[in-house]
Amino acid sequence: MAVHRGQMALAEMLAGLRSSRGLSQEQLAELSGISVRAIGEIERGATRRPQRETLRALTGALGLTPEEQEAFARSARTAPPPDTRRRKTAVRPALPAPVTSIVGRADDLAAVLRLVQDPPVRLVTITGTGGVGKTRLALEAGWRAASRFDSVHGLDLSALRDADDVPQALAESLRTPDPATLIGDARWLLVLDSFEHVAAAATTVATLLAGCPGLTVLVTSRSPLRLRGEHLWPLAPLSTPDSDDPAGLAGNAAVRLLVERTAAVRPGFALTEDNAVAVAALCRRLDGLPLALELAAARLRTQAPAQVLAQVRDLHGDTVDLADRHVSLRRTVEWSTRGLTDPDRRLFGLLGAFSGGADPVDVEAVLGAPPLSLATLAAHSLVTVTERAGHPRIGMLDTIREVVEDQLTGVADRNAHAGHFLRLVRDGDPRLGDEQDNVRAALQQAVDAAPALLCGETVRALTKHYVARGRFAEGRRMLAAAAGAAPTEQARAWAWHGAAVTANESGDPEAALALAASAAEAFGADPDGRAATLTLIGNAHKFAGRYDDAAAAYTGVLDQARTTGDARRETIALNNLGALAHDRGAYAEAIEYHAAALRRKRELGDRRGVAVAQLNLGAVRNDTGDHAGAATLLTESAATFAALGEPGSEAFALALLAQSHAGLARWADATTTGRRALELARRAEHAQATGLALLALGET
């Protein structure tokens, strides 16, 4: 492949300038604010003419001399223009793959594709009533446009009800704590489905667009986002036939969809002179709404068009404005449930309590029996069954869920669902990483209608659940709500404590202190609660930079623990005091505290606690120049974490060990250990360990 001379000059120049300053791509990315991917693409020659802002940021981060700045700018100017030819993407779109053809949407699809593929157009919103096919059109557009983007990613927002949860949901979907940095200057298409549930999150979209110049966002929503630069594409129902002439019906969009979907479940079905009038009337009665037509097709599997028409004849009025279409669709969904048996309706109603889909294992646990009616519901197009990570997943379209929740899902269903998932939280079930929508729904139900489910054990487990997954904003909001609903003082106290912990973890120490005061009042004289709250207060003061106040709080915990003989709490206080001294540069004091914690952990036989104390003590010894002593401690710590199956902690210990090796000038060991640490850290998605490993490798 021929490479333009100016293009290669820019690539070679950036790589040479970076290397001359001893910077890795990751370090240059951190200094410049430009993504590692964007820097790599310039150095490979994949990006031909970086944006002016990108060049300016790189120039500043590299500290170029005036002569170097001129040469760098000249190499960028002489590079060829961006390649506008259709490109093939090597990455599969992170979107659900369409499983049926898209019918009657050729003009809509062409228009949406023109918009999303036009670089100046940054935000496209497909609007329309429920069931009109917004999601289907967006998915088709995403797959068709994939070759024009570096990455295509989708996020279903239908399970969310609070705009504050959108940033976290996006971060989890993209598997990064910072989506804007991941996207950077790359050409991305982000598909956000069912935005009407979180309309206030439009500001999140605006912020993301402002920080990512190559990002295009395609939204589906029942209403516009009302942001600057938004391009709307209102999606109307499919055209319905204006006559019953069989010769002209075959080309009508609504008729084509109904016939095609019916033929899929009833082989041999076709439009004939005998059924043409009933098929045309059925399409008109269903207002050309794709979802309504899909539901009717499921009935046509065993009934004639005239029979189905008779059943829906009284469901719909003659007017077809958007509000009436929504009512019409709801009535169609209700009609689709009329033929269900009692067991079918029982399962269908229960599924309405689930959020974000359901694993059959959980459905069976809540139902108390195998979900035998699932095949019937799927045959009626009322639920979907897909694969997720090798396991079946039961889903339900948003519009159908609205009807089910109103008509079939009772309080008993919601309480049973809530009790099941809160039990899983208490048990620390590893599957909960994929069930956050159901956990959120369960906790909300407990707060709203079943406070007896909020015992102290459950609330404490919820705090661990939210902290372990980094869901601090949601944890703070939901635990504060739990505190207001908790049935006992103990549960209320631990809920306030959990809200304070998540507030501090999210970077708001003042709010954490206010919430901690509520926790302390509710705990009263409870020694465990008082110690936990004092520790939290120390953490908040430390975060705010008030080290003397933090030390006073930690010392209070230590004194109380020694008075009551609480050895576990004593080691926690020693560790906190050691970490505080380390942060202040008081290394001798830090070593004293961490060594004391290590002795107590060994006396207690706490294998993991010993490994943590060794890691902390090793980190301090590295900073004092005792790299040999640090290496001994960190080698043992890493081995213990490996044996315990904790790759993130093992990576952290190995990254520090690589620094010890570098300090001892054992460069080969430092490189090998650092690479192993980086591999483990990235696999475990441990951001802090990843940074430490990169720093250690940078030293080599």
Side-chain angles (χ1 to χ4, degrees):
M1 180 181 69
V3 180
H4 192 282
R5 186 174 181 179
Q7 175 186 351
M8 183 56 73
L10 175 64
E12 291 177 343
M13 179 169 287
L14 177 58
L17 290 169
R18 176 178 59 76
S19 298
S20 70
R21 283 152 175 80
L23 296 174
S24 66
Q25 288 184 347
E26 289 81 4
Q27 290 168 323
L28 179 56
E30 183 175 356
L31 291 171
S32 65
I34 305 301
S35 70
V36 174
R37 178 175 182 172
I39 293 171
E41 288 182 345
I42 296 173
E43 294 189 357
R44 291 195 306 273
T47 298
R48 299 188 176 191
R49 283 188 181 176
Q51 296 189 17
R52 185 177 303 170
E53 292 79 9
T54 299
L55 293 172
R56 185 180 298 117
L58 291 172
T59 297
L62 290 166
L64 301 184
T65 65
E67 294 77 10
E68 289 173 330
Q69 290 182 34
E70 173 57 27
F72 192 46
R74 185 168 58 250
S75 67
R77 288 195 302 269
T78 57
D83 187 1
T84 58
R85 294 173 298 174
R86 187 176 180 85
R87 293 177 291 160
K88 297 291 184 182
T89 179
V91 180
R92 182 182 184 274
L95 291 172
V99 294
T100 58
S101 62
I102 186 166
V103 177
R105 294 302 191 191
D107 292 343
D108 295 299
L109 179 59
V112 172
L113 283 172
R114 280 196 301 271
L115 288 171
V116 299
Q117 292 175 168
D118 185 3
V121 176
R122 308 288 310 288
L123 174 62
V124 180
T125 304
I126 303 173
T127 61
T129 189
V132 78
K134 301 184 295 295
T135 299
R136 182 67 182 84
L137 177 60
L139 291 179
E140 190 73 23
W143 276 89
R144 297 278 187 96
S147 62
R148 304 296 293 271
F149 291 88
D150 299 318
S151 183
V152 177
H153 195 92
L155 178 62
D156 180 7
L157 302 172
S158 61
L160 303 183
R161 292 297 180 269
D162 196 301
D164 291 340
D165 293 332
V166 173
Q168 181 67 37
L170 182 61
E172 289 184 353
S173 179
L174 293 175
R175 302 173 70 85
T176 176
D178 188 355
T181 298
L182 173 67
I183 297 170
D185 297 334
R187 186 88 170 99
W188 270 57
L189 176 63
L190 179 63
V191 181
L192 301 177
D193 191 28
S194 300
F195 205 88
E196 65 271 8
H197 296 292
V198 287
T203 54
T204 298
V205 176
T207 301
L208 199 58
L209 286 168
C212 305
L215 172 66
T216 296
V217 179
L218 176 59
V219 174
T220 72
S221 179
R222 294 182 189 176
S223 58
L225 273 62
R226 296 182 174 84
L227 294 176
R228 287 184 61 192
E230 181 178 26
H231 288 66
L232 299 178
W233 188 257
L235 190 62
L238 296 174
S239 63
T240 56
D242 52 14
S243 75
D244 298 334
D245 178 14
L249 288 179
N252 177 263
V255 172
R256 284 169 48 213
L257 178 64
L258 181 62
V259 171
E260 181 178 308
R261 296 298 190 263
T262 303
V265 296
R266 182 176 172 177
F269 180 86
L271 187 66
T272 67
E273 290 187 1
D274 293 335
N275 65 23
V277 173
V279 167
L282 187 55
C283 290
R284 286 192 290 269
R285 284 288 182 179
L286 297 176
D287 296 328
L289 286 167
L291 177 55
L293 294 168
E294 299 259 7
L295 294 172
R299 287 301 184 94
L300 288 170
R301 179 184 186 183
T302 57
Q303 300 180 54
Q307 291 176 291
V308 176
L309 175 62
Q311 295 170 18
V312 303
R313 193 181 299 278
D314 298 329
L315 294 178
H316 309 285
D318 295 328
T319 55
V320 289
D321 60 39
L322 289 182
D324 287 329
R325 281 177 181 148
H326 191 61
V327 171
S328 173
L329 182 61
R330 289 180 64 88
R331 289 173 179 167
T332 303
V333 175
E334 293 168 8
W335 159 72
S336 296
T337 68
R338 290 179 185 175
L340 299 178
T341 64
D342 287 343
D344 297 340
R345 294 172 69 84
R346 170 78 181 93
L347 175 60
F348 199 29
L350 178 62
L351 290 174
F354 283 78
S355 181
D359 188 315
V361 171
D362 295 312
V363 176
E364 181 172 349
V366 179
L367 187 65
L372 301 178
S373 298
L374 185 58
T376 301
L377 298 179
H380 282 74
S381 296
L382 294 172
V383 301
T384 60
V385 182
T386 57
E387 285 286 312
R388 188 171 83 176
H391 299 281
R393 189 76 179 174
I394 307 168
M396 188 183 298
L397 292 176
D398 206 27
T399 306
I400 294 177
R401 180 183 300 282
E402 291 177 6
V403 178
V404 175
E405 289 179 321
D406 288 346
Q407 301 293 328
L408 297 176
T409 305
V411 173
D413 290 325
R414 297 185 188 282
N415 289 349
H417 170 274
H420 171 70
F421 278 98
L422 292 179
R423 279 194 298 275
L424 294 184
V425 171
R426 287 198 301 275
D427 295 342
D429 194 300
R431 295 186 306 112
L432 289 181
D434 296 323
E435 296 291 352
Q436 186 56 40
D437 293 330
N438 279 309
V439 172
R440 186 188 306 110
L443 180 51
Q444 190 63 61
Q445 176 64 15
V447 169
D448 292 341
L453 295 173
L454 298 173
C455 65
E457 181 186 0
T458 296
V459 171
R460 296 182 75 171
L462 281 165
T463 299
K464 293 179 181 177
H465 172 83
Y466 282 120
V467 171
R469 288 160 180 80
R471 304 185 70 91
F472 304 129
E474 180 182 335
R476 173 180 173 180
R477 186 180 68 253
M478 297 301 291
L479 287 165
T488 66
E489 278 297 303
Q490 182 202 41
R492 183 175 299 109
W494 284 113
W496 284 126
H497 178 270
V501 169
T502 49
N504 196 52
E505 292 289 343
S506 67
D508 192 349
E510 304 310 325
L513 289 170
L515 291 164
S518 298
E521 181 179 355
F523 276 126
D526 175 31
D528 191 33
R530 287 177 57 200
T533 304
L534 260 181
T535 299
L536 169 62
I537 290 171
N539 294 341
H541 282 308
K542 177 183 174 183
F543 189 97
R546 295 187 289 265
Y547 294 129
D548 289 342
D549 292 334
Y554 293 149
T555 301
V557 177
L558 181 61
D559 291 343
Q560 178 184 314
R562 285 172 170 169
T563 299
T564 60
D566 188 341
R568 184 186 68 86
R569 187 70 66 181
E570 178 187 356
T571 60
I572 293 174
L574 289 168
N575 174 69
N576 286 332
L577 285 165
L580 182 64
H582 192 179
D583 287 350
R584 300 171 74 174
Y587 297 125
E589 185 180 346
I591 289 173
E592 181 180 346
Y593 281 125
H594 284 313
L598 179 57
R599 286 193 298 272
R600 289 294 278 148
K601 288 293 186 183
R602 282 176 170 155
E603 291 170 4
L604 295 170
D606 183 352
R607 188 182 180 193
R608 186 183 188 280
V610 167
V612 171
Q614 288 174 325
L615 185 150
N616 292 331
L617 189 55
V620 181
R621 292 202 177 278
N622 261 345
D623 286 350
T624 63
D626 181 9
H627 300 299
T632 299
L633 291 162
L634 294 167
T635 299
E636 293 181 13
S637 177
T640 301
F641 285 128
L644 293 173
E646 296 188 28
S649 299
E650 181 188 357
F652 200 97
L654 287 174
L656 290 172
L657 179 58
Q659 292 181 3
S660 301
H661 289 157
L664 294 168
R666 292 164 50 185
W667 303 114
D669 290 341
T671 300
T672 301
T673 305
R675 286 175 176 168
R676 175 59 178 163
L678 184 59
E679 176 190 356
L680 286 172
R682 285 176 168 167
R683 189 188 309 162
E685 298 179 27
H686 195 303
Q688 193 174 6
T690 299
L692 276 176
L694 288 170
L695 182 61
L697 288 170
E699 291 178 1
T700 66

